[in-house]
């Protein structure tokens, strides 16, 4: 769509909720973060419900986005509104030291944050005890990757049941109904990465009660 054509209704979304007028750093940040996320203009615009021409105007400073639009773009690019505004959060260090990985326990599971906050992927080190939450099937948007460190893991994907040994890994679409359980009485330790963006800590609780896909369940 060329800039000479009339804007569709969705392209006027930056006027909803109040445009942010004094954001000189937003335009170059939008383009840089889109490229860093390896998204074309067309793909990014489709994800947030804009026309490519309108997103191009945002990236060149011809239009100013509203705060809801900034939030939608931040989620699409796997970042935060603060970074879109050119701010660098103090907690975005690349290295996470072992003493800083505080354990969180819920539903019998124990997990440690193994990655920085506010990233497009979230990484965890997880201990799955035997018999805990093994009957809960979860379905939600995103992708998951896991790697078994110790013990055997029973992974159910749809109708298929797999037993993973130490050194085995799995990478799957989270919309596939899935279930994780320890196959050994001593439990299972694994590394886990998922792409459910900006989940609160409570949503990362792998042993918590299941939620619907729209409530931010991480497993």
């Amino acid at each position: 769509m060329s800039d000479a054509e009339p804007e569709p209704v969705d392209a006027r979304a930056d006027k909803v909720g109040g445009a942010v007028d004094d954001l000189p750093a937003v335009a170059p940040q939008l383009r840089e973060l889109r490229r860093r996320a390896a998204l074309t203009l067309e793909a990014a615009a489709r994800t947030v419900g804009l026309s490519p021409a309108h997103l191009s105007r945002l990236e060149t400073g011809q239009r100013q986005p509203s705060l809801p639009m900034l939030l939608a773009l931040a989620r699409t690019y796997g970042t935060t509104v603060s970074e879109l505004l050119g701010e660098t959060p103090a907690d975005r260090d690349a290295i996470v030291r072992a003493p800083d990985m505080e354990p969180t326990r819920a539903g019998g599971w124990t997990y440690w944050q193994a990655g920085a906050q506010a990233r497009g992927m979230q990484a965890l080190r997880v201990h799955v005890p035997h018999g805990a939450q093994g009957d809960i099937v979860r379905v939600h948007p995103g992708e998951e990757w896991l790697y078994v460190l110790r013990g055997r893991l029973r992974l159910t994907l749809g109708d298929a049941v797999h037993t993973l040994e130490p050194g085995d890994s799995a990478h799957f679409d989270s919309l596939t109904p899935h279930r994780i359980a320890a196959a050994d009485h001593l439990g299972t330790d694994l590394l886990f990465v998922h792409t459910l963006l900006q989940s609160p800590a409570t949503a990362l609780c792998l042993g918590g009660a299941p939620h619907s896909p729209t409530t931010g369940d991480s497993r």
Side-chain angles (χ1 to χ4, degrees), residues 109 128 132-134 146 153-155 178-182 190 219:
W109 295 48
V128 184
Q133 304 296 322
L146 58 85
L153 184 74
R154 182 174 295 109
L155 172 65
H178 53 282
R179 180 171 59 196
I180 288 177
L190 56 96
R219 292 286 324 134

Side-chain angles (χ1 to χ4, degrees), residues 49-60:
L50 295 175
S51 69
H54 188 74
L55 181 56
S56 177
R57 294 187 191 104
L58 294 178
E59 292 186 351
T60 57

Side-chain angles (χ1 to χ4, degrees), residues 95-181:
I95 307 302
V96 181
R97 301 295 181 183
D100 296 329
M101 298 183 189
E102 293 291 335
T104 300
R105 297 177 179 86
W109 295 48
T110 304
Y111 66 90
W112 296 258
Q113 286 279 0
Q117 300 289 331
R119 295 289 188 182
M121 297 185 297
Q122 297 200 35
L124 304 171
R125 181 164 60 89
V126 183
H127 175 73
V128 184
H130 185 263
Q133 304 296 322
D135 58 341
I136 294 177
V137 176
R138 295 173 171 87
V139 179
H140 54 82
E143 292 185 19
E144 299 186 24
W145 174 89
L146 58 85
Y147 178 90
V148 180
L149 296 170
R150 185 184 65 84
R152 294 181 303 151
L153 184 74
R154 182 174 295 109
L155 172 65
T156 303
L157 295 174
D159 296 328
V161 179
H162 308 272
T163 299
L164 278 63
E165 306 282 346
D168 291 343
S169 63
H171 188 174
F172 54 91
D173 189 324
S174 304
L175 287 176
T176 302
H178 53 282
R179 180 171 59 196
I180 288 177

Side-chain angles (χ1 to χ4, degrees), residues 6 8 11 26 29 36 46 55 74-75 96 99 119 130 158 191 201:
V26 169
Q29 282 289 103
R36 192 178 75 181
R46 183 169 57 251
L55 181 56
R75 288 173 175 168
V96 181
R119 295 289 188 182
H130 185 263
L191 297 177

